[in-house]
Amino acid sequence: MHYRTLGRTGIKVSPYALGAMMFGAVGNDDREESIRIIHKALDAGINFVDTADIYSHGGSEEIVGAALKGRREHVVLATKSHLPMGDDPNQRGNSRRWIMTAVEDSLRRLQTDYLDLFQMHRPDPDTDIEETLSALTDLIRSGKVRAIGTSTMPASELVEAHWVAERRGLERFRTEQPPYSILNRGIEREVLPVVQKYGMGALVWSPLAQGQLTGRAPEDLRRTAMFRHMSDERRLEVVEQLIPVADAAGLKLTHLAMAFAIAHPAVTSAIIGPRTMDHLDDALAGADVVLGDDVLDQIDKIVPPGTDVGRLDMDYDTPAVLNPALRRRPVDDRAAA
């Protein structure tokens, strides 16, 4: 396994990061098998593990913590907070009040006294970014967190966060975790250039487009019903065009997709999220795949750089998109004459 530097942190991480979302009640509820999967990934040279408090409502972190006993010092461990962890309206978000509690809860579940990377799972329009950065700065200075990052943050907000950090003498975000795959290349326009400009690492999620880039029918019908993009005809048609490209290159579609994701110079690591040992074995089997320019050119013709094929339902929508009142003038003020 080769290793890359995570932004300008000096931390060396594997180009494949082990995502732990599928470990626990929402994915693989066999705790011992999940631990075996984690151990096999570590034995294969993957040293970067990414989880979140919301995954199986803390269950994923507990499994990861159990798996890392005796191996913690050799693992770059990342987790996230933001999404609701209870009915209380303050058990979520990016406020100082919640961040401090969320970190302590994650440390307890992960059975560790520090986090290598702590990330804001989503932006929080209700919280001043200075409030968030101030809390995260205190966590770094206390030794409980080594580096901080974001997930699915728009490019403009990443730039604002860096400006605020510089003006206020606060720690700055060192990583961004956006969705990225052959089907979702929109971040190539602004997010990845901003990541490069500010020396951040990019830890991309869903490089297989939630299984669409396996070329197989979804195994979990619940996911197909839950996410509209899983049955988006435009995306399915593109997958059909990509299959012969992979075949001509002598590759499985999954290996083509993973190799594409880690070929971008701004991408540090791509998250693999195996639910079973077979899923992990398939990912590891393609770890040495390198795509030539001819293959990448063919992919560019099918999905032009900087474009998305439909919308990924799990992506982040800004208030301006979600709230009609922010994009519609009052009725009395809409006329041109």
Side-chain angles (χ1 to χ4, degrees), residues 175-208:
T175 64
E176 159 60 9
Q177 186 175 140
Y180 184 55
S181 72
I182 296 175
L183 300 183
N184 289 95
R185 304 182 61 177
I187 64 168
E188 292 175 343
R189 287 189 177 274
E190 292 188 352
V191 172
L192 290 183
V194 165
V195 164
Q196 290 175 296
K197 180 178 179 64
Y198 286 96
M200 302 174 71
L203 173 63
V204 300
W205 57 269
S206 202
L208 298 183

Side-chain angles (χ1 to χ4, degrees), residues 35-87:
I35 290 174
R36 288 194 295 272
I37 292 171
I38 295 171
H39 286 170
K40 185 166 186 176
L42 299 180
D43 292 341
I46 292 176
N47 75 334
F48 199 0
V49 178
D50 177 78
T51 185
D53 56 4
I54 194 65
Y55 298 160
S56 293
H57 207 74
S60 171
E61 287 186 326
E62 292 176 351
I63 291 170
V64 170
L68 297 188
K69 283 184 178 180
R71 308 182 72 155
R72 174 66 183 92
E73 65 179 311
H74 302 296
V75 174
V76 178
L77 180 59
T79 193
K80 303 179 284 291
S81 78
H82 167 85
L83 298 172
M85 287 295 286
D87 295 331

Side-chain angles (χ1 to χ4, degrees), residues 3-198:
Y3 296 92
R4 299 173 174 182
T5 304
L6 186 61
R8 293 178 185 160
T9 65
I11 300 172
K12 306 299 182 182
V13 295
S14 48
Y16 284 4
L18 180 66
M21 187 174 72
M22 300 307 293
F23 301 146
V26 301
N28 188 339
D29 59 4
D30 186 330
R31 180 185 178 92
E32 294 308 314
E33 183 185 18
S34 295
I35 290 174
R36 288 194 295 272
I37 292 171
I38 295 171
H39 286 170
K40 185 166 186 176
L42 299 180
D43 292 341
I46 292 176
N47 75 334
F48 199 0
V49 178
D50 177 78
T51 185
D53 56 4
I54 194 65
Y55 298 160
S56 293
H57 207 74
S60 171
E61 287 186 326
E62 292 176 351
I63 291 170
V64 170
L68 297 188
K69 283 184 178 180
R71 308 182 72 155
R72 174 66 183 92
E73 65 179 311
H74 302 296
V75 174
V76 178
L77 180 59
T79 193
K80 303 179 284 291
S81 78
H82 167 85
L83 298 172
M85 287 295 286
D87 295 331
D88 188 317
N90 287 311
Q91 289 181 300
R92 66 197 70 186
N94 299 352
S95 68
R96 169 181 285 270
R97 187 179 194 275
W98 177 239
I99 286 172
M100 293 304 188
T101 299
V103 166
E104 294 295 342
D105 290 346
S106 289
L107 290 172
R108 172 177 47 79
R109 287 188 291 260
L110 289 163
Q111 302 180 53
T112 185
D113 56 5
Y114 72 97
L115 301 169
D116 294 290
L117 176 63
F118 184 64
Q119 305 154 100
M120 296 294 92
H121 210 154
R122 291 291 185 273
D124 183 358
D126 295 330
T127 304
D128 192 318
I129 189 62
E130 184 176 345
E131 168 88 358
T132 300
L133 288 171
S134 175
L136 295 172
T137 297
D138 287 345
L139 286 168
I140 289 177
R141 291 173 180 172
S142 72
K144 293 181 179 180
V145 171
R146 300 291 192 255
I148 56 175
T150 58
S151 178
T152 69
M153 185 172 276
S156 59
E157 295 187 37
L158 286 173
V159 172
E160 179 190 8
H162 279 280
W163 287 353
V164 169
E166 182 176 356
R167 287 199 306 269
R168 301 301 187 191
L170 301 172
E171 295 288 342
R172 60 192 180 93
F173 289 126
R174 297 292 186 170
T175 64
E176 159 60 9
Q177 186 175 140
Y180 184 55
S181 72
I182 296 175
L183 300 183
N184 289 95
R185 304 182 61 177
I187 64 168
E188 292 175 343
R189 287 189 177 274
E190 292 188 352
V191 172
L192 290 183
V194 165
V195 164
Q196 290 175 296
K197 180 178 179 64
Y198 286 96

